[in-house]
Amino acid sequence: MDVAGVMGQVDMMKLEKNGATLARELAWAGQLIDVGLRLHFGDTCDYQHVRQIAPPALLPDDSAYADTLLTHAMSFDERLILVLALAPHLQPDLFDPFLIKNALTGRNYTEFGGIISGSHSGFWPSIETGAFILTGGDMVQRLALKSLFTPEHFFRRHKLLDLSEETDATRSLSVFGQALKIGHERLDLLTSGGVFQPTFSNSFPAQRLTCKLGWGDLILAQTIREEVEEIKAWIEHGPTLMQDWQLDKHLKPGFRSLFYGPPGTGKTLTATLLGKATGLDVYRVDLAMVVSKFIGETEKNLGSVFDQAENHDWILFFDEADALFGKRTQTSNSNDRHANSQVAYLLQRIEDFPGVVILASNLKANIDDAFARRFQSMIYFPMPRLEERLQLWRNAFSQPDRLDASVDLQRIAEEFELTGGAIINVLRYAALNALRRADSDSKISQIDIRNGCKRELRKDGKVL
């Protein structure tokens, strides 16, 4: 079977496991709704309280949904609230029993809660709906339930629930009147076991970095590689240091590093491969979309990125970081105060971020000293030396059958001092030049490579 077929089987196994777990959880929720209504109306019932109905058993390898419940050691109440928030996406008819009318008022029962609107044809559960099922009108239990929806609870801290921010439309709602909604970044994980990958937009100004290269393709001087390996070691062993060794008493969470050096020396590639080697997604923050002339907008845009990154174990990469993390100016007007407040905000968010943040700059001197003091490492990416350049050339021109017999990469590496990024540009130029020669066998010649090198040097104002 091909790789795609194997991956398809793995995905189907994930879906089947998650589907089975969710089906059991929804059946349990449906039973609680039925019993809650029977008890409320005094109908015949085998139970005196819904809590007598045990939730389905869970095993660690059941599914991504089961793993989420076990990770947070969810209580009876928390499990029901979560599945109620998921049910409109999976089994909306679960709430049909709540659509009955009160014969005395001709309206829906207030105590059922829920939201019925033109945008959703059925009944969308609210916190009140969960309270109706779980508390049976008991005031003490109702007050205790309120603690599940505070900012400190993992429902909100880990974006499992997307509780409405207060707006003109929702300001009049009680806490219990808010709709139960799954955080959009968690919906894929809880329903299909997939990993949420946000779409690049104004509200999320960051793009995921990927590449086809591997950790072994990273060509750096040994001293630089050792410094990069320290970040990799932190990603792999940081939790052990903080928890098992109890160094959280002395160390702040997260790791902050500055990559600096000339363009094309491998700063972005190194960040990308760090993520690939450790299984973490790397997101490059688009500074052009983040920075705003409007007071508060830059902080809001960056806050959106940090908030999501905190819950997904991402590496954040700020390229050309001088634009946001540069030296603060003397305060002489409101614009200066605004710019300095942005720097102060960023400093605080980066210092509190529990993951890895990498800033890249061409010049170390451009970075504000307040940031520099808080870096765990500052890694200089110099122009590659001869042995590194030769390896970069060999990696780029790795198909010998595409090269003319005249090509001497050793001589090219000795003659031209270029970065890895520039060498890739030469590869593109030389390959296209070879293909344009209709009367040739489309092989890259020494002249193609030399012309490409001269072209790259001219970009920096250098003429041979």
Side-chain angles (χ1 to χ4, degrees):
M1 181 178 290
D2 60 15
V3 173
V6 172
M7 290 303 295
Q9 274 196 342
V10 172
D11 290 342
M12 284 305 299
M13 287 173 62
K14 274 185 174 181
L15 286 174
E16 287 171 3
K17 284 189 170 185
N18 232 36
T21 303
L22 288 166
R24 292 193 297 270
E25 203 79 359
L26 288 163
W28 171 65
Q31 189 180 5
L32 295 187
I33 291 172
D34 178 65
V35 170
L37 287 169
R38 286 178 180 276
L39 293 172
H40 182 69
F41 291 115
D43 294 340
T44 302
C45 184
D46 296 331
Y47 301 94
Q48 295 179 327
H49 200 283
V50 294
R51 296 182 193 281
Q52 294 176 307
I53 306 169
L58 297 172
L59 295 173
D61 61 347
D62 266 356
S63 61
Y65 184 83
D67 184 60
T68 300
L69 268 58
L70 291 169
T71 297
H72 295 289
M74 288 196 196
S75 66
F76 185 105
D77 292 8
E78 289 162 343
R79 280 182 70 168
L80 180 65
I81 292 298
L82 186 64
V83 75
L84 290 180
L86 267 177
H89 303 279
L90 304 172
Q91 192 179 332
D93 61 331
L94 191 74
F95 303 109
D96 283 356
F98 290 126
L99 293 172
I100 60 173
K101 301 287 185 181
N102 188 323
L104 295 177
T105 64
R107 301 171 60 185
N108 298 98
Y109 282 85
T110 305
E111 59 266 41
F112 295 169
I115 296 170
I116 302 172
S117 67
S119 61
H120 181 73
S121 59
F123 178 100
W124 196 288
S126 63
I127 297 175
E128 190 70 66
T129 310
F132 169 79
I133 300 168
L134 289 166
T135 70
D138 185 286
M139 184 56 67
V140 174
Q141 292 184 37
R142 181 182 177 88
L143 292 174
L145 190 68
K146 189 177 178 182
S147 67
L148 304 189
F149 307 100
T150 63
E152 295 77 24
H153 193 274
F154 64 77
F155 273 158
R156 292 181 71 168
R157 282 193 295 108
H158 293 278
K159 308 293 183 182
L160 285 168
L161 291 185
D162 180 16
L163 298 176
S164 303
E165 295 293 331
E166 190 175 79
T167 64
D168 291 339
T170 62
R171 192 168 286 116
S172 60
L173 293 177
S174 70
V175 171
F176 286 75
Q178 295 182 78
L180 282 175
K181 295 185 293 183
I182 293 293
H184 65 276
E185 63 266 36
R186 294 299 189 188
L187 186 58
D188 284 347
L189 174 67
L190 294 173
T191 55
S192 63
V195 177
F196 172 74
Q197 292 180 351
T199 304
F200 180 71
S201 64
N202 286 326
S203 60
F204 187 81
Q207 288 181 303
R208 182 168 170 260
L209 295 178
T210 61
C211 72
K212 294 183 178 180
L213 299 178
W215 190 249
D217 297 309
L218 188 60
I219 308 301
L220 297 172
Q222 185 58 33
T223 54
I224 300 169
R225 177 175 280 276
E226 288 173 1
E227 292 187 84
V228 173
E229 289 278 0
E230 181 189 357
I231 306 174
K232 185 169 176 280
W234 171 264
I235 295 171
E236 294 170 343
H237 304 295
T240 301
L241 289 179
M242 299 294 277
Q243 297 162 20
D244 296 352
W245 289 32
Q246 299 182 348
L247 293 186
D248 56 341
K249 300 175 184 177
H250 309 287
L251 304 179
K252 290 188 71 69
F255 196 102
R256 292 155 286 280
S257 183
L258 172 68
F259 291 0
Y260 66 101
T265 49
K267 299 184 291 292
T268 301
L269 178 62
T270 299
T272 306
L273 291 180
L274 266 172
K276 190 171 183 179
T278 56
L280 302 184
D281 286 337
V282 182
Y283 278 87
R284 176 168 55 192
V285 180
D286 188 316
L287 299 180
M289 291 188 70
V290 168
V291 178
S292 172
K293 64 182 178 181
F294 299 107
I295 293 176
E297 281 298 307
T298 297
E299 292 88 335
K300 180 181 176 182
N301 294 341
L302 274 169
S304 173
V305 176
F306 276 107
D307 288 344
Q308 293 200 43
E310 284 176 2
N311 293 304
H312 292 87
D313 213 13
W314 293 336
I315 295 173
L316 289 182
F317 179 69
F318 292 85
D319 200 6
E320 299 181 7
D322 320 48
L324 278 177
F325 302 91
K327 291 185 178 296
R328 282 177 277 192
T329 59
Q330 294 294 321
T331 303
S332 59
N333 54 48
S334 61
N335 288 336
D336 292 339
R337 287 191 294 273
H338 176 210
N340 287 347
S341 72
Q342 290 178 351
V343 173
Y345 171 82
L346 292 171
L347 179 60
Q348 189 62 51
R349 287 308 301 255
I350 285 180
E351 194 165 16
D352 292 340
F353 184 63
V356 173
V357 177
I358 298 172
L359 276 60
S361 171
N362 292 339
L363 293 172
K364 174 184 172 183
N366 290 345
I367 300 298
D368 190 280
D369 292 339
F371 285 109
R373 288 194 299 271
R374 289 164 171 83
F375 291 129
Q376 274 69 56
S377 69
M378 303 178 73
I379 305 175
Y380 176 56
F381 286 73
M383 293 291 290
R385 298 173 302 180
L386 173 58
E387 59 267 33
E388 292 141 19
R389 288 200 304 275
L390 180 57
Q391 189 59 55
L392 288 168
W393 281 110
R394 286 172 175 167
N395 285 0
F397 292 82
S398 58
Q399 296 177 290
D401 57 320
R402 295 292 186 192
L403 301 180
D404 186 77
S406 64
V407 172
D408 184 349
L409 295 179
Q410 174 76 39
R411 184 175 176 184
I412 292 290
E414 291 172 352
E415 186 175 353
F416 297 99
E417 189 177 2
L418 296 175
T419 65
I423 289 170
I424 295 303
N425 289 340
V426 173
L427 170 64
R428 184 192 300 270
Y429 169 85
L432 285 174
N433 222 38
L435 287 172
R436 288 168 60 190
R437 290 195 296 271
D439 59 342
S440 74
D441 57 2
S442 299
K443 287 196 173 185
I444 296 172
S445 69
Q446 185 86 341
I447 294 175
D448 292 328
I449 297 175
R450 284 181 58 81
N451 287 341
C453 291
K454 293 176 181 179
R455 194 165 174 260
E456 289 301 305
L457 291 173
R458 283 197 296 272
K459 290 180 183 179
D460 294 329
K462 300 174 183 178
V463 180
L464 291 182

